[in-house]
């Protein structure tokens, strides 16, 4: 029973409480670039979760055989091979999405999230818990990507998954698309807002201030 | 000459790595708390990008691109799917070599860089420089300029962000926005500024 709860916590912790993107600043690079539409965000989330889970499993299996000094290179080669497989699959079956994702699928190799989890968790734990942890982190990453992707596509084009949800003003409806939502800055604003929202709900994540003003003289009395 | 210069400006400002392409954000945000570390990161990025992009160009065109093995009787051989592993290997080796050279000849600079140098192996922006070079079919000269230009663009952006964040230490922010939250919003504002460079490039 306790083993099962431990698994459950490992899986659900990274969703909000230990979210890799909003709390640990891992894997943001790709998180923002591919979120202009929900379809690309979803493809990216699935690709990353698959790579992360498999990489954690493989690395954890051979964790006792990797010499410490060259472990980074070994890990990168394992991750890169998995990414090549995913990239080839995407090019073969989802050519259009693969073009939209451009170099960002290849960049999963250097995604800090993948190396962060294999370095911090898979190196010390047996395969099954490592894969559960990796899967949970992949889900946490996907959650952020899907939220931002949905907001940007909905307000930038009035669409979800390419279907018109809000009727456009050009076509006789009432919605005027906010083209800012499709540009780079909006992704930063949305993610900043998301971080703010999560930390308002969970105040224990708030960072300590770097500088506190001295107490006012009248307050000291 | 003017072509090379305008291409350099394009790589540095219009295609700015962190602000318009979202690349290398992890280190961009993590190391922009202090101006000194931001400057060190900027110099290291420029050096590594300037070396690895042309080097990867030579490897790609000489060994991996479709048709390069025609002289060996293999005109249909296409090894371009191996480029990811080749590039990451070159980057890891370059970073290691740079670290050893600096340690041997300029120990003071090496000490100043500290942990950033090995970290650059897993920097998205550096791998992306090589991947863009392949995707956009740059020549050797272009890829050298592109590598140096995007390194300088990264350096400018990270130093600017660190300057703003040092000031922000004295600002009274809402608790949830402190640190990471405000850094994102600042980056968004800077990215708005850099978007105007794209407009200038689009206008003749």
């Amino acid at each position: 029973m306790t083993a099962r709860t431990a698994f459950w916590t490992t899986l659900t912790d990274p969703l909000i409480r230990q979210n890799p993107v909003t709390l640990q600043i891992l894997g943001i690079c790709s998180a923002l670039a591919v979120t202009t539409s929900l379809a690309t965000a979803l493809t990216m989330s699935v690709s990353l979760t698959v790579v992360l889970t498999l990489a954690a499993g493989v690395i954890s299996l051979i964790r006792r055989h990797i010499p410490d000094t060259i472990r980074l290179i070994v890990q990168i080669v394992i991750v890169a091979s998995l990414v090549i497989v995913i990239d080839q699959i995407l090019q073969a079956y989802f050519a259009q999405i693969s073009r939209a994702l451009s170099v960002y699928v290849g960049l999963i190799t250097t995604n800090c999230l993948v190396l962060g989890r294999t370095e911090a968790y898979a190196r010390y734990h047996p395969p099954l818990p490592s894969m559960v942890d990796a899967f949970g982190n992949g889900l946490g990453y996907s959650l952020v990507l899907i939220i931002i992707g949905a907001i940007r596509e909905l307000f930038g084009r009035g669409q979800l998954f390419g279907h018109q949800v809000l009727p456009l003003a050009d076509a006789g409806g009432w919605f005027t698309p906010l083209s800012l939502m499709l540009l780079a800055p909006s992704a930063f604003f949305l993610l900043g807002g998301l971080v703010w929202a999560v930390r308002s709900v969970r105040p224990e994540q708030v960072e300590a201030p770097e500088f506190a003003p001295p107490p006012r003289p009248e307050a000291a009395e | 000459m003017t072509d090379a210069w305008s291409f350099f400006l394009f790589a540095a400002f219009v295609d700015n790595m962190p602000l318009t392409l979202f690349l290398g954000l992890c280190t961009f945000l993590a190391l922009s708390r202090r101006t000194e570390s931001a400057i060190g990161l900027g110099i290291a990025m420029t050096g590594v990008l300037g070396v690895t992009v042309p080097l990867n160009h030579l490897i790609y065109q000489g060994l991996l691109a479709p048709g390069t093995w025609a002289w060996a009787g293999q005109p249909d051989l296409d090894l371009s799917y191996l480029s990811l592993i080749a590039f990451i290997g070159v980057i890891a080796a370059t970073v290691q070599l740079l670290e050893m050279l600096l340690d041997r000849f300029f120990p003071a600079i090496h000490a100043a860089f500290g942990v950033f140098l090995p970290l650059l192996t897993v920097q998205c922006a550096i791998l992306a420089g090589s991947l863009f070079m392949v995707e956009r079919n740059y020549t050797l000269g272009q890829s050298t300029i592109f590598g140096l230009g995007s390194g300088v663009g990264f350096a400018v952006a990270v130093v600017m962000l660190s300057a703003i964040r040092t000031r922000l230490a004295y600002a009274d922010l809402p608790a949830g926005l402190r640190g990471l939250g405000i850094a994102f919003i600042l980056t968004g504002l800077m990215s708005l500024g850099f978007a105007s460079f794209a407009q200038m490039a689009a206008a003749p």
Side-chain angles (χ1 to χ4, degrees):
Chain A
M1 189 61 209
T2 45
R4 179 170 290 178
T5 28
F7 265 175
W8 189 243
T9 345
T10 328
L11 185 65
T12 52
D13 244 17
L15 287 186
I16 293 174
R17 219 169 63 77
Q18 287 286 333
N19 189 288
V21 181
T22 61
L23 185 65
Q24 309 172 25
I25 339 186
L26 289 177
I28 315 167
C29 322
S30 51
L32 294 171
V34 298
T35 48
T36 45
S37 77
L38 200 49
T40 49
L42 204 61
T43 318
M44 189 68 188
S45 312
V46 174
S47 318
L48 184 108
T49 312
V50 171
V51 170
L52 184 55
T53 314
L54 291 179
V58 172
I59 288 167
S60 155
L61 270 180
I62 56 168
R63 67 186 187 283
R64 293 188 210 286
H65 304 285
I66 305 179
D68 222 28
T69 40
I70 57 158
R71 63 167 197 281
L72 269 182
I73 302 216
V74 174
Q75 289 172 1
I76 288 178
V77 169
I78 292 173
V79 175
S81 329
L82 288 167
V83 170
I84 289 177
V85 173
I86 294 277
D87 197 24
Q88 299 287 321
I89 292 176
L90 283 181
Q91 278 177 19
Y93 296 103
F94 304 94
Q96 206 182 350
I97 290 181
S98 164
R99 262 197 300 281
L101 286 173
S102 148
V103 300
Y104 291 96
V105 175
L107 288 178
I108 296 179
T109 320
T110 51
N111 194 308
C112 344
L113 178 53
V114 178
L115 277 179
R117 286 334 288 175
T118 53
E119 263 294 280
Y121 201 94
R123 223 148 57 79
Y124 308 107
H125 294 81
L128 199 57
S130 308
M131 287 176 79
V132 172
D133 169 80
F135 187 64
N137 274 284
L139 286 185
Y141 172 90
S142 311
L143 190 68
V144 173
L145 242 73
I146 288 168
I147 292 175
I148 295 182
I151 296 178
R152 285 181 78 182
E153 192 178 357
L154 185 63
F155 292 107
R157 292 204 201 91
Q159 298 175 336
L160 280 180
F161 283 119
H163 296 292
Q164 207 66 41
V165 180
L166 307 173
L168 292 183
D170 299 344
W174 50 270
F175 180 72
T176 314
L178 303 162
S179 45
L180 176 68
M181 279 292 167
L182 298 178
L183 298 178
S186 76
F188 289 114
F189 294 143
L190 285 176
L191 195 51
L194 198 64
V195 170
W196 191 5
V198 170
R199 291 189 179 177
S200 309
V201 179
R202 301 199 165 262
E204 72 271 14
Q205 292 186 3
V206 171
E207 291 171 41
E210 279 176 60
F211 175 84
R216 289 202 200 139
E218 62 264 39
E221 285 175 6
Chain B
M1 179 59 213
T2 46
D3 268 4
W5 178 240
S6 65
F7 188 64
F8 177 83
L9 288 182
F10 169 81
F13 292 107
V14 179
D15 249 5
N16 191 280
M17 285 275 181
L19 294 177
T20 53
L21 298 173
F22 309 102
L23 293 167
L25 278 177
C26 311
T27 29
F28 183 71
L29 291 172
L31 292 181
S32 59
R33 280 175 200 275
R34 302 265 172 283
T35 315
E36 302 87 64
S37 55
I39 293 175
L41 175 69
I43 295 174
M45 282 290 292
T46 316
V48 176
L49 267 170
V51 174
T52 54
V53 177
L55 207 58
N56 279 333
H57 179 270
L58 289 179
I59 288 179
Y60 183 78
Q61 295 298 343
L63 295 175
L64 301 173
T68 33
W69 291 92
W71 57 269
Q74 301 281 347
D76 298 329
L77 194 60
D78 178 3
L79 291 177
S80 55
Y81 66 92
L82 285 179
S83 51
L84 208 56
I85 285 194
F87 291 171
I88 202 85
V90 169
I91 291 170
T94 313
V95 170
Q96 191 73 52
L97 197 68
L98 197 70
E99 198 183 0
M100 275 150 50
L101 283 178
L102 280 180
D103 194 22
R104 174 72 181 79
F105 297 109
F106 306 99
I109 301 182
H110 182 254
F113 278 148
V115 295
F116 314 137
L117 260 181
L119 270 182
L120 289 183
T121 317
V122 288
Q123 237 272 8
C124 344
I126 290 177
L127 181 61
S130 299
L131 291 176
F132 276 127
M133 176 270 296
V134 169
E135 202 182 68
R136 300 175 182 171
N137 277 322
Y138 288 147
T139 62
L140 182 61
Q142 276 176 324
S143 41
T144 316
I145 299 172
F146 181 74
L148 287 175
S150 41
V152 169
F154 190 96
V156 169
V158 77
V159 171
M160 277 164 60
L161 181 67
S162 71
I164 304 177
R165 285 184 77 176
T166 343
R167 291 285 185 287
L168 267 186
Y170 305 103
D172 188 15
L173 295 167
L177 215 47
R178 229 178 273 143
L180 186 57
I182 194 68
F184 273 127
I185 293 177
L186 275 178
T187 318
L189 288 172
M190 283 173 63
S191 156
L192 264 186
F194 272 70
S196 62
F197 287 120
Q199 295 290 325
M200 281 160 66

